[in-house]
Amino acid sequence: SGRLGSYGKSLCLNSNPQLCCLTLPDFHPLSGHQRMFGTYFRVGFYGCKFGDLDEQEFVYKEPSITKLAEISHRLEEFYSERFRDETVEIIKDSNPVDKAKLDPNKAYIQITYVEPFFDTYELKDRITYFDKNYNLRAFMFCTPFTLDGRAHGDLQEQYKRKTILTTSHAFPYIKTRINVMQKEEIILLPIEVAIEDMQKKTQELAFATHQDPADAKMLQMVLQGCVGTTVNQGPLEVAQVFLAEIPDDPKLYRHHNKLRLCFRDFNKRCEDALRKNKSLIGPDQREYHRELERNFHRLKEALNPLINRKIPQLYTLVIPPTSHRNSLNRSSLRKMNG
């Protein structure tokens, strides 16, 4: 009790053990939130040396400050000692593993950082930080790729693979690793990748604008990344690539329209952020702010012809609905493994 200090003494004063259990987990002095929850990693084992573990996947729960390099080093060291040789190798990417290309005399471990995944309907009930870190069974990681095998390419070549893992039990659990019982893959088309990127930029702008207390440096950094003239693959290039022409494929009409609406929201958030920044700066930053405003107005003028044009066919063509996750409202390529 001496190590707990005054915090431990205050708990001991509580004569009701049930209230004591409720009080303890709700506070953590090292976290911006009230409590530090776990960090999650997907771990796959490949090779006959693993026996029954071969081709098995698990989600590991680690302390919230654990880095990918730490768990990789720990598992590599553990299994190297177990096999008493140097045949353990860490697969350093998150691409699907082709066993035919692996050395049968080696043991391979693939480790990927994953995040809890929620459908849109779930987020209505998972409001608090605790809600989003309790009763977790679905996890997701993303892998960028191009059709020619490269991880990254030009905007019109950039695909993304979302992998959603479902575990047999929910975290928190009595064990710190739970086996994966289902895997679902969703392939995002380049225009869908662009939609997600623009939504992310818009969310970052909104967060920086409404942050309390206000952080002028953070707000300016986000603004610069959105309206800066030297930003590679920035908003203007995205619009020029995907909105300059109406897609030939009618299935892309709705994606085209969704991206157009994303840009309208993005412009509104930029205006809000500039107003907020103007209220925060001192006399020494007024010229910098005027430069941000000039950059935004140039960006807005270039974007207007692209985002104000509607697709007439969109209002006459009816695409039959398909069954899909609520949070993935699209016609992407999908594959599910039980």
Side-chain angles (χ1 to χ4, degrees), residues 90-286:
I90 301 294
I91 300 175
K92 300 185 184 297
D93 59 52
S94 59
N95 293 319
V97 175
D98 184 356
K99 281 204 68 179
K101 296 180 179 179
L102 302 182
D103 185 340
N105 297 315
K106 288 187 175 183
Y108 294 87
I109 306 175
Q110 186 181 46
I111 306 173
T112 310
Y113 170 76
V114 296
E115 293 182 331
F117 172 81
F118 307 108
D119 276 311
T120 301
Y121 73 89
E122 289 183 276
L123 291 173
K124 296 176 183 177
D125 298 320
R126 293 182 181 266
I127 300 171
T128 67
Y129 183 67
F130 176 82
D131 293 336
K132 294 175 181 177
N133 286 275
Y134 184 76
N135 195 26
L136 306 177
R137 286 192 63 200
F139 300 85
M140 183 178 72
F141 65 93
C142 299
T143 310
F145 72 97
T146 61
L147 297 181
D148 62 7
R150 292 172 297 148
H152 299 280
D154 294 334
L155 289 171
Q156 64 270 25
E157 304 172 317
Q158 189 64 65
Y159 289 75
K160 182 190 290 184
R161 180 186 299 106
K162 285 187 172 183
T163 305
I164 301 170
L165 309 173
T166 304
T167 56
S168 58
H169 297 87
F171 285 106
Y173 190 57
I174 54 175
K175 297 180 180 179
T176 55
R177 81 171 187 182
I178 303 177
N179 62 303
V180 173
M181 60 175 290
Q182 180 176 296
K183 179 191 291 188
E184 180 181 357
E185 291 184 354
I186 301 167
I187 305 299
L188 299 191
L189 303 173
I191 191 170
E192 294 177 293
V193 176
I195 289 169
E196 282 204 346
D197 288 345
M198 290 308 304
Q199 288 174 333
K200 182 180 178 181
K201 286 182 186 295
T202 304
Q203 289 166 1
E204 289 172 351
L205 275 168
F207 177 81
T209 302
H210 300 292
Q211 194 171 358
D212 187 19
D215 186 338
K217 289 185 178 179
M218 173 64 74
L219 179 59
Q220 290 167 11
M221 185 175 69
V222 175
L223 265 171
Q224 182 63 36
C226 291
V227 304
T229 55
T230 60
V231 178
N232 292 326
Q233 294 194 341
L236 181 56
E237 186 178 353
V238 172
Q240 290 171 338
V241 168
F242 294 108
L243 298 182
E245 302 292 339
I246 294 177
D248 295 329
D249 187 352
K251 292 180 181 178
L252 297 180
Y253 287 170
R254 293 190 181 276
H255 295 317
H256 185 281
N257 191 56
K258 187 174 183 178
L259 182 58
R260 185 179 67 84
L261 296 177
C262 284
F263 271 102
R264 296 182 67 174
D265 191 24
F266 170 77
N267 280 347
K268 173 67 169 57
R269 294 296 183 181
C270 282
E271 291 172 349
D272 294 343
L274 285 167
R275 278 195 296 269
K276 181 72 171 183
N277 188 60
K278 189 174 183 178
S279 70
L280 297 175
I281 60 171
D284 59 320
Q285 288 190 309
R286 286 175 184 166

